[in-house]
Amino acid sequence: MSIDPMERLLDKLEQIPGYPFNRSKDLDFLFELMKDFHSVNIEEELIRFRLWLSECPPHPNLRYRLFLRRWVQNAAGRKTTQNQ
């Protein structure tokens, strides 16, 4: 039985330590990321973000969604640079 791709992404968000998970807000957030950065593998970037946070503890006032959006935006830039 396969898991819905969006459910996998929500699960990845929920696994991020300290992330202020909110199912309805995060569904909208993920749809927005996928629309704006369609060339980026969002699931892979969520895994990388979680691993990075495990090595670099976040600032207590970290705005996770904003930081994660910039993270994915940077990944999109790296991908564009690699394809040139």
Side-chain angles (χ1 to χ4, degrees):
M1 182 175 177
S2 66
I3 298 175
D4 175 48
M6 189 56 72
E7 289 298 323
R8 278 200 328 265
L9 294 177
L10 287 167
D11 185 52
K12 299 294 183 210
L13 278 178
E14 207 168 10
Q15 292 174 19
I16 297 172
Y19 185 83
F21 184 77
N22 176 304
R23 185 176 178 77
S24 63
K25 188 183 280 192
D26 288 321
L27 272 171
D28 291 341
F29 176 60
L30 289 170
F31 278 121
E32 183 179 305
L33 287 178
M34 291 187 315
K35 180 182 74 113
D36 293 347
F37 307 106
H38 51 87
S39 66
V40 175
N41 182 333
I42 302 296
E43 185 174 8
E44 182 62 31
E45 292 307 321
L46 291 175
I47 293 168
R48 289 178 186 191
F49 181 68
R50 181 178 50 82
L51 292 172
W52 181 81
L53 281 178
S54 72
E55 298 293 322
C56 304
H59 185 276
N61 297 324
L62 178 66
R63 294 166 53 192
Y64 280 85
R65 288 179 190 87
L66 178 59
F67 193 94
L68 189 51
R69 180 174 176 80
R70 288 184 183 146
W71 180 278
V72 173
Q73 185 177 22
N74 288 337
R78 285 192 308 271
K79 185 170 179 131
T80 300
T81 303
Q82 291 172 352
N83 290 338
Q84 292 180 355

